[in-house]
Amino acid sequence: MKASWVAEKKSVETSLVSGAELFIQGLQNEKVEVLFGYPGGAVLPIYDALYKSEMKHVLTRHEQGAIHAAQGYARVTGKPGVVLATSGPGATNLVTGIADAMIDSIPLVIFTGQVATTVIGTDAFQEADIVGITMPITKHNYQVQRAEDLPRIMKEAFHIANTGRKGPVLIDIPKDVAVKRAEVKEVEGIHLPGYQPTLKPNILQVKRLNEALLQAKRPVLLTGAGVLAASAEKELVAFAEYHQIPVAQTLLGLGGFPAEHPLCLGMAGMHGTYASNMALYDCDLLIGIGARFDDRLTGNLDHFAKKAVVAHIDIDPAEIGKNVPTEIPIVGCAKETLSALNQTRGDKGDYNEWVIQLTKHKTEFPLTYKTDESELKPQKLMQILHDVTNGEAIVSTDVGQHQMWAAQYYTFLESNRWITSGGLGTMGFGFPAAIGAKVGKPELPVIAVVGDGGFQMTLQELGVLQDWELPVIVVIVNNKSLGMVRQWQEIFYEKRFSHSLLDIQPDFIKLASAYGIDGKRAETESDVREALTLALASKKPFVLDCVVTADENVYPMIAPGKGLHEMIGVRG
């Protein structure tokens, strides 16, 4: 009897697995391809389980690099980016990226280690209340109390992150939970009564929009990142072409509608095109799709679309009417709503005069800049990037002047080739996001367009390029300043350049060499073309330090407090 009991007990114990092993199984169940992370004490049990698994893990050189890389991965693949960091400082180093993902609706699932449940709340070593800290900047977050709950929580987290209005979900795992053993049980479905996103639009509201289209003379479509998140590009093109409605795009919506399409007006907003902004100002029907009407887009709301009936299509009902009064609210997925509009379309309105007028605006007031053969103009740099890559590259940027020049002059012909920090405006974002994009889409060329200021915030991730031999091309737009800060100080602060000039710079080429990466400094257009051609052909990491005109400003521009019709720097 005794021997039999011992054998039975041993059999029961071997059917149990640790929380860390349940974590690995949960990732596999969700078909996670790669994990971005940085180890530490509270997650050592998880990293030990990773060591024994075949899960692909990218070790970044800072937790901020990990979460921005996960964002880049998510943007180009449409899959949730997955991040793992330790407790305390490891978790808090993720906060900027979590906030960035929340405001830009990027699906992430973030795992943080935590001190053991027995000492939570005692100010234990490397303890931080990451659940409380991130509550305002996540779609949802969890702290796991029992190992057996982890499979269900992980399944829910991935579902929440990548449905409805997408966004970050955080799971905090105490160290003892990762060690404790539990029985493996299959999770049967997801039961979340309080979370039921509306995907299909109300057909009566669709009918109202169709009727408004017949009454309109000057309609315009404003398309945002929601079109890309819903993979609604084809439905958008079909809708715009059938009705012959011009299309303006938000910064994050670039690529959702082909830039060279005759109906495309370009980017709208503070540094948008004259044609796009005047379309929004003069229209009599504004149809917003997957855009949240933020202040950088609208300018002074007293002058925004005041002649228009506003229809707003968004999967998040909280966005509709939040900033702009809306007569035709449609809650639903962009793809489902555009499909419904395409299926119920009837007679077409006559917008020919309106299209001719806006096309004339495009012709008479294009994006332009003063050329100077003695200097490398940053606008020309972006055009060269487009030419050399045939517009096929994934372009990732930091925030500032270079971001706006890339948005203006790198013509995006396809979707999911544009990665940038929109709502939060995060310096240091562009380079690690490019790493994640290359991991997600290794077959495409990836260029990180960064400022000399922002690059210095996350340049340690050059180690990842060398470690993984990732052929990311880093293009530094080097104007020896915090360019957009300097521009605002020039225009609005009587040229008082308070702490915005970066006179002391590292030698970026020697820096790249220290990481075993090739690089070159470019001061002319021919330098840029030659170096880019070489870098693309080499299929190796490359750093290109482009010395551009130091005092060049981004135009056109809408000053703070001004309306879309009050643009400065418009050149005919």
Side-chain angles (χ1 to χ4, degrees):
M1 287 293 293
K2 185 176 180 180
S4 176
W5 179 84
V6 170
E8 182 181 348
K9 182 180 178 182
K10 184 177 181 181
S11 175
V12 171
E13 286 180 345
T14 55
S15 69
L16 303 179
V17 299
S18 69
E21 291 170 313
L22 288 173
F23 169 83
I24 300 296
Q25 289 180 19
L27 296 182
Q28 292 170 343
N29 291 340
E30 295 299 328
K31 297 180 172 53
V32 172
E33 298 170 333
V34 62
L35 188 63
F36 300 91
Y38 201 97
V43 287
L44 284 182
I46 293 176
Y47 270 88
D48 192 51
L50 277 171
Y51 183 82
K52 302 168 188 175
S53 77
E54 296 181 357
M55 180 63 61
K56 185 177 181 181
H57 178 280
V58 175
L59 173 65
T60 57
R61 277 26 178 191
H62 191 284
E63 291 88 355
Q64 186 176 352
I67 197 157
H68 291 330
Q71 288 178 268
Y73 175 88
R75 289 198 185 192
V76 300
T77 65
K79 304 171 185 176
V82 184
V83 184
L84 174 61
T86 194
S87 64
T92 58
N93 280 343
L94 299 174
V95 168
T96 296
I98 296 171
D100 192 289
M102 183 66 175
I103 199 167
D104 284 354
S105 305
I106 305 302
L108 299 179
V109 179
I110 305 119
F111 296 92
T112 54
Q114 185 54 274
V115 300
T117 56
T118 53
V119 293
I120 289 176
T122 68
D123 294 330
F125 177 67
Q126 289 193 333
E127 179 186 0
D129 179 12
I130 197 63
V131 170
I133 290 168
T134 61
M135 193 170 290
I137 54 171
T138 52
K139 277 190 75 175
H140 193 59
N141 58 25
Y142 300 83
Q143 187 173 81
V144 187
Q145 298 297 315
R146 304 185 309 164
E148 53 263 40
D149 293 335
L150 190 55
R152 171 186 59 81
I153 288 173
M154 289 180 69
K155 193 172 187 67
E156 290 178 2
F158 278 89
H159 174 72
I160 293 170
N162 210 33
T163 55
R165 180 176 179 176
K166 301 181 181 185
V169 178
L170 182 138
I171 301 175
D172 195 37
I173 307 176
K175 188 172 184 179
D176 57 329
V177 172
V179 173
K180 286 179 180 176
R181 303 180 75 80
E183 186 178 352
V184 179
K185 292 183 179 179
E186 185 176 348
V187 181
E188 297 180 0
I190 296 173
H191 183 63
L192 297 170
Y195 179 71
Q196 300 293 331
T198 300
L199 302 181
K200 293 186 179 296
N202 184 305
I203 197 64
L204 294 178
Q205 295 298 83
V206 171
K207 183 179 179 181
R208 284 186 63 194
L209 181 50
N210 278 326
E211 291 171 349
L213 281 166
L214 285 176
Q215 297 171 6
K217 297 297 182 185
R218 302 185 307 280
V220 65
L221 286 163
L222 174 68
T223 61
V227 171
L228 297 164
S231 299
E233 300 91 338
K234 290 182 180 179
E235 290 80 3
L236 172 61
V237 170
F239 181 72
E241 288 183 343
Y242 177 80
H243 291 284
Q244 285 297 293
I245 305 175
V247 179
Q249 297 172 294
T250 69
L251 173 67
L252 291 180
L254 294 175
F257 192 80
E260 293 183 351
H261 195 287
L263 290 171
C264 186
L265 303 175
M267 183 175 70
M270 179 172 280
H271 294 292
T273 66
Y274 180 81
S276 276
N277 285 338
M278 291 310 295
L280 296 178
Y281 180 73
D282 283 330
C283 65
D284 64 1
L285 175 61
L286 170 57
I287 306 171
I289 308 176
R292 57 188 180 82
F293 294 111
D294 74 296
D295 58 298
R296 287 295 173 103
L297 169 79
T298 64
N300 189 327
L301 285 169
D302 290 338
H303 302 290
F304 182 76
K306 286 301 176 181
K307 308 167 188 176
V309 170
V310 176
H312 191 175
I313 300 166
D314 205 289
I315 201 164
D316 184 357
E319 288 296 343
I320 297 178
K322 185 178 80 174
N323 295 327
V324 176
T326 302
E327 287 83 357
I328 307 176
I330 303 180
V331 178
C333 163
K335 189 181 189 75
E336 294 280 358
T337 304
L338 284 166
S339 294
L341 286 164
N342 287 334
Q343 290 165 10
T344 59
R345 62 194 183 192
D347 295 336
K348 294 185 284 187
D350 183 3
Y351 316 134
N352 190 50
E353 290 185 12
W354 172 239
V355 172
I356 290 172
Q357 177 185 333
L358 294 178
T359 302
K360 188 176 180 181
H361 285 335
K362 286 169 63 176
T363 303
E364 294 184 350
F365 302 101
L367 292 170
T368 186
Y369 56 94
K370 293 181 179 178
T371 58
D372 187 340
E373 293 184 0
S374 66
E375 296 179 315
L376 177 59
K377 291 289 185 175
Q379 301 94 327
K380 184 64 176 180
L381 170 60
M382 303 306 161
Q383 291 175 319
I384 294 172
L385 291 180
H386 184 274
D387 291 345
V388 174
T389 62
N390 296 314
E392 296 174 351
I394 293 172
V395 177
S396 176
T397 79
D398 268 355
V399 169
Q401 287 183 313
H402 69 278
Q403 175 194 34
M404 293 297 110
W405 285 318
Q408 290 175 333
Y409 290 97
Y410 191 99
T411 309
F412 292 94
L413 307 176
E414 297 184 52
S415 60
N416 300 318
R417 303 292 174 94
W418 170 240
I419 307 172
T420 197
S421 173
L424 197 65
T426 303
M427 291 181 68
F429 171 91
F431 176 37
I435 291 173
K438 189 64 181 178
V439 171
K441 292 289 184 181
E443 71 277 11
L444 293 176
V446 176
I447 299 177
V449 177
V450 296
D452 47 319
F455 182 53
Q456 293 184 67
M457 291 189 173
T458 50
L459 57 78
Q460 69 274 2
E461 304 307 333
L462 285 168
V464 179
L465 292 193
Q466 180 67 350
D467 190 11
W468 285 84
E469 297 181 345
L470 292 174
V472 172
I473 300 173
V474 182
V475 175
I476 304 169
V477 183
N478 192 344
N479 54 13
K480 294 186 178 180
S481 68
L482 305 177
M484 193 61 84
V485 176
R486 185 206 60 76
Q487 175 170 334
W488 279 53
Q489 288 174 337
E490 175 185 329
I491 298 172
F492 305 117
Y493 294 89
E494 298 178 344
K495 297 186 178 181
R496 293 187 292 274
F497 300 124
S498 179
H499 303 284
S500 60
L501 305 181
L502 303 176
D503 296 322
I504 304 300
Q505 296 272 34
D507 185 322
F508 291 113
I509 306 309
K510 287 183 179 179
L511 183 69
S513 179
Y515 281 94
I517 295 172
D518 290 337
K520 182 177 180 180
R521 180 170 291 104
E523 298 183 4
T524 66
E525 294 176 17
S526 60
D527 286 346
V528 174
R529 289 186 185 275
E530 179 184 343
L532 279 174
T533 302
L534 176 67
L536 287 167
S538 74
K539 299 192 182 303
K540 293 180 180 180
F542 195 87
V543 173
L544 180 60
D545 182 15
C546 299
V547 181
V548 301
T549 306
D551 58 355
E552 191 76 6
N553 289 334
V554 181
Y555 289 116
M557 179 181 181
I558 299 168
K562 299 296 184 180
L564 294 181
H565 62 302
E566 299 175 291
M567 304 175 73
I568 59 175
V570 177
R571 296 170 182 165

